[in-house]
Amino acid sequence: DALPISDGGRPDNTGRGYVLRRILRRAVRYSHEKLNATKGFFSTLVDVVVQSLGNAFPELKKDPDMVKDIINEEETQFLKTLTRGRRILDRKIQSLGDCKTIPGDTAWLLYDTYGFPVDLTGLIAEERGLLVDMESFEEERKAAQLKSQGKGMGDEDMLMLDIYAIEELRSRGLEATDDSPKYNYKSDANGNYEFEGIVATVKALRREKAFVDEVTSGQECGIVLDQTCFYAEQGGQTYDEGYFVKEDDISEDKTEFTVKNAQVRGGYVLHIGTLYGRLRVGDKVRLYIDETRRRPIMSNHTSTHILNFALRAVMGEADQRGSLVAPDRLRFDFTAKGAMTTAEIKKTEEIANEIIREAKTVYAKDCTLAAAKAIQGLRAVFDETYPDPVRVVSVGIPVEDMLADPSSPAGSVTSVEFCGGTHLQNSSHAGPFVIVSEEAIAKGIRRIVAVTGEIGRA
């Protein structure tokens, strides 16, 4: 794999990139299941390849660290779903009885939702003396292609809660989703986070613009629960991903739902994804967020607040005009008369990193909108409508102290903002903060893109 990557190849879902992905994922599965290798084992082999083949293939010596990064990234990506995919395949094999063929729809689900190349599923099946129904797999693939090429509404539009759906849920007396568990996590001094999983009850199932009582394997659907620890996309922060497992499932073939998106409409959080098994309204499910996705999002969100404060310190006035908080980067739009100078960008970065190094506690508290607005120096987005009560996030100074003395200069010496996002518990957990670009996006509005943590160290 080191050779094609050095030659410009990248793991992908099409063409030569897919050949590379298939080889890598086969190897990842073999090393973890058969050799009990630890994560990162593959990239350590790059040096051996460079040493033995470097003279014959000089491009190997150009940038071995880049090759290691790509291999590590692909391994991390696949390991997220390898265990869950294997569990589904093992359960399906157990439920086959005397049948020696793995159904095509199972192979397609493993391919489409869990990233298993079909030849990998075939290899695992072969080890158990089984076959994959390739004819049925190809039918599933063609059906999916036709669906994606089809005119009209996409899957998510067919699932999304529109005003009629919201009204229907309200008329049933369904209360808004309690999403406060999204804030239930704790951390240690090294920035390792432990996220609390919860058990929730299925309150509504949505398919093809209608509420249904039951969904079955392979179906895309939207699920509304009584409570959730998933963050639904809002306030510039992207959604959580993860999965649910049905509680008290006595069947061999456990029901699992992969969450690919989470959106909030009218107070109801809709979890969008694909089901394996069978799920009915009233069933209980255990929730698992993708922690390796949530953690960098938290770093980037807290760092966005720190950047906002640093910009004000450097530029005097810089009003927020928008933001995006994703796992791999943060984006911040603000008002400015012109481009920032190199010195101003450097100074902004330095102030942000200083706040991170100072290891300040990050405080968050819900309070009345009137009391929060009285805090001097508190930052809010122009023209944004905030709920009442509103959540206030402060870096370094307890929100209670500012509420007790709203005219104190606290708001001007630290970052204080209205925000419902998920944040770090200490600024030091963000790791290095690096500004990647600063550019104009409209007259009088500039955009900064920055990275933090592991990406910031790279």
Side-chain angles (χ1 to χ4, degrees):
D1 288 322
L3 277 167
I5 292 171
S6 298
D7 203 27
R10 296 291 179 271
D12 200 354
N13 284 333
T14 54
R16 70 171 187 166
Y18 189 52
V19 175
L20 186 55
R21 171 159 285 169
R22 282 159 61 193
I23 295 168
L24 266 171
R25 294 196 168 188
R26 262 194 190 206
V28 167
R29 177 253 164 179
Y30 189 85
S31 70
H32 284 268
E33 290 187 0
K34 306 289 184 187
L35 305 178
N36 290 323
T38 54
K39 186 177 165 186
F41 161 73
F42 266 126
S43 59
T44 61
L45 302 177
V46 171
D47 294 330
V48 180
V49 175
V50 172
Q51 206 176 341
S52 53
L53 298 175
N55 292 332
F57 302 98
E59 63 270 25
L60 279 171
K61 294 180 177 178
K62 271 188 208 162
D63 195 351
D65 286 340
M66 177 268 293
V67 176
K68 288 179 188 175
D69 287 344
I70 290 168
I71 289 174
N72 279 333
E73 195 178 319
E74 183 68 11
E75 181 182 20
T76 302
Q77 198 62 33
F78 188 42
L79 284 178
K80 279 185 189 178
T81 54
L82 174 64
T83 311
R84 288 167 51 215
R86 264 316 298 258
R87 207 163 55 227
I88 280 175
L89 184 55
D90 289 343
R91 290 196 299 250
K92 176 51 76 177
I93 290 170
Q94 279 170 12
S95 69
L96 288 175
D98 294 333
C99 177
K100 295 288 182 190
T101 307
I102 291 169
D105 60 355
T106 301
W108 174 254
L109 180 81
L110 289 168
Y111 170 84
D112 189 43
T113 304
Y114 297 93
F116 274 52
V118 71
D119 53 349
L120 175 59
T121 304
L123 187 71
I124 296 169
E126 198 180 304
E127 290 169 3
R128 306 279 193 94
L130 302 168
L131 295 167
V132 173
D133 184 345
M134 287 307 296
E135 199 174 309
S136 158
F137 173 82
E138 285 304 328
E139 282 170 13
E140 293 283 341
R141 185 207 290 273
K142 281 174 189 161
Q145 279 173 344
L146 285 171
K147 204 171 170 187
S148 67
Q149 289 162 4
K151 302 275 188 288
M153 289 182 286
D155 281 350
E156 289 191 3
D157 290 327
M158 298 292 280
L159 303 173
M160 204 52 76
L161 298 175
D162 55 23
I163 54 170
Y164 306 108
I166 293 165
E167 192 49 50
E168 187 177 336
L169 292 177
R170 284 178 181 160
S171 67
R172 291 183 190 179
L174 185 62
E175 290 184 15
T177 312
D178 172 13
D179 64 351
S180 59
K182 68 190 177 192
Y183 300 125
N184 293 354
Y185 47 85
K186 52 191 180 193
S187 60
D188 63 19
N190 298 319
N192 299 310
Y193 279 72
E194 198 178 303
F195 297 87
E196 194 179 296
I198 60 168
V199 174
T201 304
V202 176
K203 290 294 184 181
L205 295 166
R206 189 160 174 84
R207 260 185 67 70
E208 296 173 348
K209 286 188 111 32
F211 290 109
V212 294
D213 293 327
E214 182 179 67
V215 280
T216 54
S217 266
Q219 292 185 337
E220 281 260 316
C221 64
I223 300 179
V224 177
L225 305 168
D226 60 337
Q227 60 168 346
T228 185
C229 53
F230 279 72
Y231 185 87
E233 184 167 35
Q234 57 192 312
Q237 181 177 324
T238 193
Y239 51 82
D240 277 338
E241 294 178 2
Y243 64 102
F244 309 161
V245 177
K246 187 172 159 186
E247 286 278 280
D248 311 319
D249 197 344
I250 53 169
S251 68
E252 282 293 317
D253 219 6
K254 295 263 188 278
T255 293
E256 187 174 298
F257 178 72
T258 299
V259 181
K260 298 175 181 175
N261 197 339
Q263 297 288 326
V264 62
R265 298 286 187 277
Y268 300 110
V269 175
L270 186 75
H271 307 80
I272 298 164
T274 310
L275 185 75
Y276 177 79
R278 186 179 296 270
L279 201 60
R280 293 183 63 84
V281 172
D283 284 344
K284 291 197 179 305
V285 287
R286 185 168 291 277
L287 280 55
Y288 299 89
I289 64 163
D290 180 344
E291 299 177 7
T292 57
R293 175 182 165 87
R294 164 76 84 84
R295 176 64 179 81
I297 288 172
M298 286 159 51
S299 284
N300 288 337
H301 205 150
T302 302
S303 298
T304 301
H305 284 215
I306 292 170
L307 168 63
N308 193 358
F309 173 78
L311 275 171
R312 190 172 30 157
V314 172
M315 308 292 286
E317 267 313 308
D319 289 326
Q320 183 175 344
R321 282 293 182 269
S323 67
L324 168 76
V325 179
D328 59 340
R329 71 194 185 286
L330 64 94
R331 195 178 74 206
F332 189 77
D333 301 341
F334 60 99
T335 57
K337 290 188 175 71
M340 291 175 73
T341 64
T342 307
E344 284 171 338
I345 293 171
K346 189 165 182 281
K347 183 67 178 164
T348 302
E349 203 172 76
E350 281 171 3
I351 291 171
N353 279 306
E354 182 59 30
I355 293 169
I356 289 167
R357 278 193 299 272
E358 284 171 356
K360 293 174 180 284
T361 300
V362 179
Y363 299 93
K365 183 177 173 61
D366 289 333
C367 51
T368 66
L369 190 56
K373 279 184 168 176
I375 298 172
Q376 195 179 310
L378 183 138
R379 306 292 276 176
V381 180
F382 179 71
D383 270 356
E384 184 81 36
T385 305
Y386 291 96
D388 192 3
V390 68
R391 192 171 175 84
V392 177
V393 175
S394 161
V395 179
I397 300 172
V399 178
E400 287 89 343
D401 293 1
M402 288 183 273
L403 290 170
D405 184 8
S407 57
S408 77
S412 56
V413 296
T414 192
S415 162
V416 194
E417 297 190 32
F418 290 149
C419 185
T422 54
H423 284 270
L424 297 172
Q425 295 181 334
N426 189 289
S427 64
S428 64
H429 299 166
F433 173 87
V434 179
I435 293 175
V436 176
S437 64
E438 188 272 348
E439 60 185 3
I441 58 161
K443 188 171 172 57
I445 298 179
R446 309 291 298 178
R447 169 172 290 171
I448 280 177
V449 175
V451 294
T452 65
E454 289 304 317
I455 302 176
R457 282 189 190 94

